[in-house]
Amino acid sequence: MRNNLDNWLYLLRLTASLTLIASGCFLLFFNSPISPIGRNLDITTVILDTLSNYHVSNVEQTSQYIIWGLAGYFLMCGILCFRCGERKKPKYVIPVFVSFLILLTCLVMLLASHSFNPYEAIPYIIPLSSPLALLLYRQWQNKLDHWNYFLITILLITTASYAAGVFLSEETIIDTALVSLMERIGIGAQFTAQITKSIVAVGFIAGLLLFSACGRRIALITLIIIAIIHLLVRFISHLSTDAAWYGIDYWTTDLIFHLSYVMYPTLTLLSLASRRKTQTLRL
């Protein structure tokens, strides 16, 4: 990747594209564009209430058409991501930005349904910011240090939020599916909690080191490893439980939706390796 920022930009576009395509699939099949809100936030209810207020005939059929239209819109925006980054035409940029606003609105709706509990937003900070990260690169393509600081700030917010949720929250956010999986292989819930806390602590320290020049690369590699472990364990644990919410189709899409967990530190690491002598990157 050294001195090859075109391939790096392609990975950034791919990250945003996969996130929006996964959102479209979730919306089409589970009535919610954000994983795993399919069991917590069904936007069909919101659409039905809105249509009822305007006395629309065939409310259910109309709401289904709206769902299909929004799903198609997300799929279209996923394709348009490959036209963003270097091009400055609004016809490519505006739809992707609107898709980011829609996802942000759904996140606010989720928080509202949970009395604005901030811990509910933790899993979605990175995926929802991926379209915005792509559009910001278009503005900062000659100032990659600005763009990298934006990305590592998002990473720090996420790691700090997970750490706060594990160590400060009165209600545990440790996945019950993970506990069930670990118990099957002979590891108790208490030891599972200790392992989770240790990994979260390491991730938080790595997040702090992102702003240190001497430890940044080690921190990024650590976050990549943690993200891969997190996604694989999440995927396996939810499919192996007896009371699985959804099947492999759901959790495969969920895995794609959260690939940005791996891609964010990877992109930042590759951008450091892609420095040119003529550029003034300070990261």
Side-chain angles (χ1 to χ4, degrees):
M1 290 295 294
R2 184 175 295 277
N3 298 334
N4 197 347
L5 292 178
D6 290 338
N7 290 338
W8 176 86
L9 177 58
Y10 174 80
L11 292 178
L12 174 59
R13 289 169 171 168
L14 182 64
T15 303
S17 176
L18 289 177
T19 301
L20 292 178
I21 290 175
S23 296
C25 292
F26 276 121
L27 186 57
L28 185 61
F29 299 109
F30 302 101
N31 296 327
S32 177
I34 305 178
S35 166
I37 306 179
R39 61 180 183 275
N40 294 327
L41 175 62
D42 187 345
I43 68 171
T44 305
T45 305
V46 179
I47 295 175
L48 287 173
D49 293 341
T50 303
L51 293 177
S52 298
N53 292 334
Y54 288 95
H55 305 290
V56 177
S57 60
N58 296 326
V59 173
E60 294 185 359
Q61 187 176 7
T62 304
S63 66
Q64 192 62 50
Y65 288 151
I66 293 175
I67 291 291
W68 291 345
L70 286 175
Y73 179 79
F74 277 109
L75 296 177
M76 179 194 70
C77 290
I79 297 174
L80 289 181
C81 285
F82 289 96
R83 309 293 289 179
C84 297
E86 292 179 344
R87 300 178 181 270
K88 299 182 179 180
K89 294 183 179 180
K91 65 180 180 180
Y92 302 130
V93 175
I94 294 177
V96 177
F97 180 70
V98 171
S99 67
F100 162 72
L101 294 180
I102 295 174
L103 292 176
L104 186 62
T105 302
C106 290
L107 180 61
V108 173
M109 291 168 58
L110 173 69
L111 292 176
S113 65
H114 289 81
S115 302
F116 290 96
N117 183 356
Y119 298 114
E120 294 293 332
I122 296 175
Y124 315 112
I125 296 175
I126 291 179
L128 264 63
S129 66
S130 59
L132 181 61
L134 175 61
L135 298 180
L136 286 177
Y137 174 77
R138 189 183 72 87
Q139 298 293 329
W140 292 339
Q141 56 184 318
N142 295 323
K143 299 178 181 179
L144 276 180
D145 50 342
H146 289 60
W147 186 87
N148 276 292
Y149 276 123
F150 169 78
L151 239 61
I152 63 177
T153 300
I154 295 295
L155 289 171
L156 177 59
I157 291 173
T158 300
T159 55
S161 299
Y162 270 115
V166 171
F167 294 104
L168 301 180
S169 176
E170 295 181 359
E171 52 182 280
T172 178
I173 64 171
I174 298 176
D175 202 329
T176 55
L178 173 61
V179 174
S180 176
L181 175 64
M182 299 296 280
E183 287 179 345
R184 288 188 177 186
I185 60 178
I187 299 177
Q190 186 174 1
F191 189 57
T192 301
Q194 292 177 352
I195 295 175
T196 303
K197 290 180 179 179
S198 299
I199 294 177
V200 170
V202 172
F204 176 62
I205 294 173
L208 294 176
L209 288 177
L210 289 174
F211 290 91
S212 171
C214 59
R216 183 172 297 117
R217 285 174 173 80
I218 296 177
L220 289 169
I221 293 173
T222 301
L223 290 177
I224 292 172
I225 295 173
I226 292 177
I228 292 174
I229 294 174
H230 169 72
L231 293 181
L232 290 178
V233 170
R234 175 188 175 89
F235 181 78
I236 295 172
S237 62
H238 281 281
L239 286 178
S240 62
T241 181
D242 294 330
W245 282 303
Y246 298 112
I248 191 171
D249 56 338
Y250 179 91
W251 292 108
T252 300
T253 310
D254 176 83
L255 183 65
I256 295 173
F257 182 83
H258 288 93
L259 277 181
S260 49
Y261 274 67
V262 178
M263 294 304 296
Y264 267 33
T266 300
L267 286 168
T268 307
L269 186 64
L270 292 178
S271 69
L272 300 182
S274 299
R275 294 185 190 184
R276 303 185 184 197
K277 293 182 179 179
T278 56
Q279 290 178 325
T280 57
L281 292 179
R282 298 305 179 192
L283 274 176

